[in-house]
Amino acid sequence: MGAKNRKQAAGKTPATDRERSPLVPPHGKSNVRRPGRESKAFHGAHPNGLSSVKQKLGLTPSAVLKLSSFLFLAGLSGYLHWYHLSRLFENDRHFSHLSNLEKEMAFRTEMGLYYSYYKTIIEAPTFLEGLHMIMNDRLTEHPLVINTLKRFNLYPEVVLASWYRMYTSTMGYFGIPTKMCWSINRGEGLSPVDSCEGLGDPAYFYVTCVFLLNGVMMSLFFIYGAYLSGSRLGGIVTTLLFFFNHGESTRVMWTPPLRESFAYPFLVLQMLLLTYILRTRSPSRTALVALGISNVCFMLPWQFAQFVLLTQVASLFASYILGYLAAAKMQSILVTHMVTLGVCFLLMFGNSMLLTSFYASSLISIWVIIALRDRFAQIFKPGIIIWLMQGLAWVGSTVLLKFVLSTILGASDDAHISGLIKSKFTSYKDFHTMMYTCAAEFDFIELETPVRYLKTLLLPVNLLVLALITARLFQDIIRTLRHEEKASVKVDDDGGTDLVVKGELVYHSLQLLAFALLAVLIMRLKLFLTPHMCIMGSLLCSRQLFGWIGERLKHQSVVLAVIAMMAVQGVANLQAQWAIIGEFSNLPQEELLDWIQENTRPDSVFAGAMPTMASVKLSTGRPIVNHPHYEDAGLRERTKLVYSMYSRMSGETVKKNLMKLGVDYFILEDSWCTRRTRPGCSMPEIWDIEDPQNVGKIPLCTHMSRSSRPYFTTVFSNDIYKVLKVPKDHR
C-alpha cells in the first residue's frame, strides 16, 4: 500500500494506545507496592507502614516475593497475548491503513451484523436513543420491527458503545486528541482515502477492547493452570501450550466481533471459580455469587453458551454419581446455575431458547434426581446399578422435559440444532442442516488436528494425565464396589473424603471428554477442546499426580525438558503465524456499496447472500430481509425464500418469493451458484433435497448471470456482483 501522508485535522491528533494454593498467601490479596515506589511513598513519613501491612496480611518476605512473581507472570502472559493478537490482526489486514469503509468491509458475515449495532449506538444523538433504535430495529428483517438486543446477544456492543461515547466525550471535554487521520494513496488508479488511528476511531476502539479482554483471559489461564497444578510452573506450561497451539485454540485475531470473543474469557473465569468451589470444603456465598456473575457474563454474549454449560453440568453430575461431589455442594452449584439462567432470561427479554434448552431441562432433572437420592438407594443396589439408573433417569427426564417445554412455549428456534445432531449420526438431510454441515467449521473435526496436537506434544501429555487420573479413578471405583457401606469411601455432606483422586481432577477429566466429543462432531468447537487441553497440561507439574518422578527439583527438570521438546514445533507454529502478511482489499464490494449509496433510496430493500447482506446493512444502512444470524426459525424460512434464486425453480416463482418479502433489489453472486465445498454442497445441489421435482434443470442463477430478463432488470454489475431490480407488479 502507498505511503501515509499525515493529514492533521482539528481535534484529530495522534493517540499516544481453594484448596490453599502454595503460591498465594492465605488471605489472597496484597497491597504491597513495587520496591521502586515503596521508598518514595513510605520512606520517612511512615517508616513502619509496609511492615504493618505485611503483618495484617500475614505475609512473610518469602510470600511477598512469591506473590509478586506470580502476579508478574500472570500480567506478562496477558500482555504478551494482547500484543500477539494485535500484531496478527494488523499484519493480516493492514488495518491501520484502511478507510472507514474498508474497516467495515473487513468485518464480514455475522461480524459485520454485530458491529452495525455498535455503529448505530455511537452515531445516535444520545446513548438512550441508540439503545432504543436497536431495540426497535426496522432494518434487519424488513418489514418486521425486532428487538435485536433480545435476538442477537448484543450486550457486548451496548457496553462498548457506552464506553466509546464516554471516552470520546470525556477526551473532548478536556481537549485531548483521540485519533490521528491520514490520507492513504492506494495506487492502481484508485482515489486516496482517509484512514484514522487511535481509540477515537470506532473500529480501533472496538477491536482494542476485544484484544484487551482476551489478554486478560490469558492472565486467567496462567492463574488457572497454576492453581489447578499447585505450581507456578503449571501456569507457565498452560500459557506456553496455548501459544504453541494458538491456531487451534482461538480465532479472535481473525474474527474479533464474533460472540465467542466476548464470552470465552468469562468461561475461563467461571471454570477457575468452579475449581475453587470444588476444592473448598464449604464454599462461601461470595464464591457462589462470583460463579453466578461469571455465568451471566458468559451466557449473555453468546447463544451457544448453553451447550457448553450443559456439558459442564453433565460432568459435575457424573462426578456426583461417582461420589466425588457431595449432594449439598452439587445442589448449591445447581441453584447458582438456575438463578443465573433466570437472570439471563430476564435480561434477554424472555428469550425462549434459554428456557427450552437442554441445559435448562438438565438443571431441573438433576435437581430432582439428587432430591430423590434416598429413594434411588432404597430401590436399586449400591454400585454400578444405581449409577446407571441415575444416568438413564437424567438423560430420559432431560429430553422429555425439553420437548414438553418447547411444545408448551411453542419454541422452534433451536430445531435446527436437533437436525444438525441428527445428521451427524444418520443420513438425515434438509436445507437448513445442509447450510451448516456444508460449512467446514460445522463438519467433523479434520484429521490434521490430532496430528497438530501430536507435534506439540499436547495430545501425549493429555493422554498421560488422563491415564493417571483414570487409573486412580478405577482404584476408587473398585474400593466402592467392594464395600457394602458406601459412606466408608464416599464423600459425606461436609465434603470430607478418603478417595484416592481429587474431585476437581475427575471433573476436569470428564469435561475434557465432553469437549472432545463436541469437537469431533463439530470442528468449530475445538476452540473449547484445545484450551482445556492446555489447562490439563498444567497437571504435568502436579506433585499429586507426578510425585513418583522424584523430588521437586527432579520433577521440575523433567517438566522443563518436556517444554523444550514442545517448543520445537510450538515456536515453528508461532513463526508461521507471524509470517502471515496481508492487506485487506475488496474493490468489487466497495464498488457495490458505493453504487448502493449513490443510486438507491434510503428505504430500498435488499436481499442476497447472508454475508453480503451484513455488509449492506452496516455500510449503507439500507433495509435487508435476511442476514447471517441463522438461529431464528422465521429468519431461516426467509433465507430459504431468498436463496430460491440459487435453485432450479422458475424465474416467475423466485420473483414471487422476493416480491412477497418486499424486496426491491437482489444482489446476485455467481460464486454462490457455482461454489462447491464438497460433493452435494453447491447451492443448487442443496436445493435438490427440497425441490426434487426440478432436479436436472439448469439453476436459475446460471440463467440470471447471462440475462436477467424477463423477470428482473440488471441495474449494476461488476466481476463479482450483479444487482437485479425486482419489479413491483405481477406482470
Side-chain angles (χ1 to χ4, degrees), residues 2-19:
K4 279 188 174 184
N5 299 313
R6 181 169 174 174
K7 178 180 177 182
Q8 188 66 55
K12 295 181 179 179
T13 54
T16 48
D17 196 26
R18 93 200 171 196
E19 177 183 279

Side-chain angles (χ1 to χ4, degrees), residues 117-312:
Y117 301 109
Y118 165 80
K119 180 182 177 183
T120 296
I121 297 175
I122 64 174
E123 291 184 350
T126 66
F127 171 75
L128 290 179
E129 287 185 58
L131 189 61
H132 181 268
M133 289 169 68
I134 70 167
M135 290 175 66
N136 297 272
D137 180 89
R138 299 174 181 274
L139 301 179
T140 308
E141 293 181 9
H142 178 85
L144 304 179
V145 178
I146 62 173
N147 182 350
T148 59
L149 191 57
K150 172 183 177 180
R151 283 274 301 279
F152 304 145
N153 301 79
L154 295 178
Y155 276 97
E157 280 65 33
V158 172
V159 172
L160 290 185
S162 66
W163 288 357
Y164 177 81
R165 294 184 72 109
M166 287 189 288
Y167 171 75
T168 52
S169 61
T170 302
M171 295 297 104
Y173 178 79
F174 289 105
I176 301 174
T178 59
K179 62 181 177 181
M180 172 175 282
C181 293
W182 313 82
S183 178
I184 305 296
N185 177 16
R186 298 191 291 174
E188 301 178 10
L190 300 173
S191 59
V193 296
D194 288 344
S195 176
C196 296
E197 295 180 75
L199 292 178
D201 179 72
Y204 248 85
F205 185 91
Y206 188 97
V207 298
T208 298
C209 287
V210 173
F211 293 152
L212 284 173
L213 176 62
N214 282 267
V216 172
M217 182 206 71
M218 186 54 67
S219 295
L220 289 172
F221 254 101
F222 174 84
I223 296 170
Y224 194 171
Y227 183 69
L228 185 64
S229 65
S231 165
R232 280 169 292 180
L233 188 57
I236 293 173
V237 169
T238 295
T239 303
L240 288 176
L241 281 172
F242 194 97
F243 274 101
F244 291 163
N245 297 275
H246 200 266
E248 306 296 319
S249 300
T250 182
R251 53 179 183 170
V252 64
M253 59 283 193
W254 315 131
T255 56
L258 288 187
R259 302 300 81 188
E260 67 210 43
S261 303
F262 296 99
Y264 188 73
F266 291 103
L267 177 63
V268 177
L269 174 61
Q270 191 260 11
M271 293 181 68
L272 174 57
L273 291 168
L274 181 61
T275 304
Y276 168 78
I277 289 169
L278 293 176
R279 277 191 177 179
T280 307
R281 183 177 291 256
S282 300
S284 65
R285 181 174 296 179
T286 302
L288 292 170
V289 169
L291 179 70
I293 292 172
S294 60
N295 258 5
V296 171
C297 292
F298 174 51
M299 280 194 282
L300 277 183
W302 200 18
Q303 67 272 22
F304 289 128
Q306 53 177 295
F307 299 102
V308 178
L309 293 177
L310 171 64
T311 67
Q312 182 179 97

Side-chain angles (χ1 to χ4, degrees), residues 345-359:
F345 178 73
L346 294 175
L347 292 175
M348 292 297 292
F349 304 91
N351 191 321
S352 60
M353 275 188 69
L354 292 174
L355 292 189
T356 59
S357 64
F358 283 106
Y359 167 56

Side-chain angles (χ1 to χ4, degrees), residues 52 253 301 382 666 691 718:
S52 65
M253 59 283 193
F666 184 94
D691 186 31
N718 60 22

Side-chain angles (χ1 to χ4, degrees), residues 362-384:
S362 182
L363 292 175
I364 297 171
S365 60
I366 292 175
W367 174 269
V368 172
I369 291 170
I370 294 176
L372 297 175
R373 61 187 181 278
D374 293 335
R375 184 64 60 85
F376 273 90
Q378 292 171 3
I379 298 174
F380 304 107
K381 291 182 179 181
I384 293 178

Side-chain angles (χ1 to χ4, degrees), residues 633-698:
L635 186 279
R636 290 196 292 272
E637 292 309 312
R638 281 169 158 258
T639 299
K640 191 174 177 181
L641 287 176
V642 170
Y643 279 21
S644 61
M645 179 66 77
Y646 299 103
S647 71
R648 305 178 198 274
M649 298 178 186
S650 67
E652 186 64 30
T653 301
V654 173
K655 182 179 75 170
K656 289 179 179 178
N657 287 343
L658 296 176
M659 293 173 65
K660 186 191 305 182
L661 294 171
V663 174
D664 295 314
Y665 298 95
F666 184 94
I667 300 177
L668 179 69
E669 300 174 52
D670 282 343
S671 60
W672 280 75
C673 195
T674 57
R675 184 173 55 198
R676 192 186 195 209
T677 55
R678 65 172 186 270
C681 278
S682 68
M683 283 304 305
E685 288 174 315
I686 292 174
W687 262 108
D688 287 344
I689 298 171
E690 297 286 325
D691 186 31
Q693 62 267 30
N694 286 315
V695 172
K697 294 182 180 179
I698 297 175

Side-chain angles (χ1 to χ4, degrees), residues 68 99 156 174 271 332 336 371 415 479 482 562 641 704 725:
S68 299
S99 67
F174 289 105
M271 293 181 68
S332 296
T336 303
R479 289 178 62 205
R482 284 178 178 174
V562 174
L641 287 176
M704 291 297 104
K725 186 172 178 58

